[in-house]
Amino acid sequence: MKLTLPAFLLAVTFTTGILFSAEPSHPAELPLWPNGAPGSEARRSEAEKLDGSNVTNVHNPTITPYLPTKDNTGLAVVIAPGGGHSKLCLGHEGYALAEWFQEHGIAAFVLKYRLARDKDSNGAYTIQDHAMADTRRALRTVRSKAQEWGIKPDKIGIIGFSAGGELAAFSAMKSDAGDASSADSIEKASSRPDFQALIYPGTSNLFTVEKGMPPLFIACGYGDRPDIAEGMASLYLKYKAAGVKAELHIYSNAGHGFGYKPGTTTAAGAWPFRFREWLVDSGFLK
């Protein structure tokens, strides 16, 4: 049987899977340190490992900027995907949400941070010394380039999922105003997020709250493990006691890892709309 050209191409696609790639294209990544992250310079050129939309073997931390092409609100968010510090779930906890923000006039930056529990790292990294250095550097980078990217420097926040939620919480707990004497212009910028969103973060027992911390949005599932489903309720009360504005959404029919998937019709899947409403109510958006 003779195949027409379209039929032939379709047949090749199904049999080899290599003619057309299902992988979506993304904006170019921006290394957080041009000469390599401190402590990882020797491995900065190592190739990352991709399994679907999950990434491991991260030694050259980056942000991927999704800048609005219309109706720019001046607001920006750094997105820290989850993955248990052993991988980065860049699909439903990264790029898909960044595109949603971009479409709503909000600049988004998907963070690839070093992984403390990735077997390929051979124990070289820790959460506090490396993943947090990457997180704070991402916030500084966005703030230092605010004018260039059309961002208001006092409207830069962070959203973290699961393990990334830990990083977001830690960044709000401990930040600094920057080093004015540094020769690195990025290090002169503040690492303080102006707002934070914790989406089913772990290790809530490590989170502390003090007056003056950034306002907080929380989303998690009733069916998640106790340190999240119950821990987030306790965290909300800590923020309430400290006089820091917080909003809590516990979705009764959700568990862990719901992230953001376009077209989802569940209540938990619509949390970005609740988050945007919170931004309006909190004065970050009009």
Side-chain angles (χ1 to χ4, degrees):
M1 179 179 69
K2 183 180 292 185
L3 292 175
T4 63
L5 181 59
F8 170 76
L9 292 176
L10 185 62
V12 171
T13 301
F14 276 112
T15 55
T16 68
I18 61 174
L19 186 61
F20 300 111
S21 172
E23 279 297 309
S25 59
H26 305 292
E29 297 178 349
L30 176 67
L32 292 177
W33 283 273
N35 298 317
S40 300
E41 294 90 347
R43 303 186 71 176
R44 59 177 293 209
S45 298
E46 260 186 58
E48 296 172 349
K49 297 181 180 179
L50 183 65
D51 181 8
S53 60
N54 297 334
V55 171
T56 57
N57 206 49
V58 177
H59 304 290
N60 188 27
T62 64
I63 52 174
T64 301
Y66 285 75
L67 303 177
T69 56
K70 62 178 182 178
D71 301 326
N72 184 13
T73 63
L75 195 80
V77 290
V78 172
I79 301 173
H85 299 290
S86 62
K87 62 184 177 183
L88 293 175
C89 301
L90 294 171
H92 69 298
E93 295 179 353
Y95 299 137
L97 181 62
E99 291 173 353
W100 186 91
F101 279 127
Q102 184 183 46
E103 291 167 1
H104 287 79
I106 298 171
F109 301 84
V110 179
L111 171 63
K112 281 186 181 177
Y113 53 89
R114 286 170 287 180
L115 298 163
R117 297 175 188 146
D118 182 355
K119 59 181 176 56
D120 292 318
S121 298
N122 298 317
Y125 303 137
T126 68
I127 294 170
Q128 292 297 339
D129 292 336
H130 300 92
M132 283 311 304
D134 301 343
T135 303
R136 295 187 177 104
R137 179 75 174 187
L139 288 161
R140 294 188 206 279
T141 299
V142 174
R143 186 163 279 118
S144 71
K145 296 180 178 294
Q147 184 174 4
E148 175 185 342
W149 286 335
I151 294 166
K152 297 175 182 176
D154 60 347
K155 292 187 177 181
I156 299 170
I158 185 166
I159 293 179
F161 296 86
S162 194
E166 298 175 25
L167 305 185
F170 293 145
S171 73
M173 288 162 50
K174 183 179 179 181
S175 61
D176 63 73
D179 182 1
S181 65
S182 176
D184 183 345
S185 61
I186 293 176
E187 290 299 312
K188 293 180 179 180
S190 169
S191 65
R192 183 184 188 274
D194 295 303
F195 57 86
Q196 53 175 320
L198 308 183
I199 316 301
Y200 46 81
T203 64
S204 59
N205 61 305
L206 300 179
F207 300 165
T208 58
V209 185
E210 296 179 2
K211 186 177 180 61
M213 284 175 57
L216 171 66
F217 176 94
I218 308 170
C220 65
Y222 174 91
D224 212 330
R225 61 183 196 253
D227 67 310
I228 299 174
E230 298 172 16
M232 290 300 96
S234 298
L235 183 64
Y236 167 81
L237 294 175
K238 289 181 182 179
Y239 270 81
K240 176 68 173 174
V244 180
K245 291 288 184 69
E247 182 164 309
L248 171 63
H249 296 260
I250 301 180
Y251 294 100
S252 61
N253 293 296
H256 193 73
F258 49 83
Y260 172 68
K261 299 172 184 176
T264 300
T265 58
T266 63
W271 72 264
F273 293 94
R274 307 292 80 79
F275 176 63
R276 189 185 184 284
E277 292 165 354
W278 176 80
L279 289 171
V280 173
D281 290 347
S282 301
F284 291 106
L285 282 179
K286 294 182 179 180

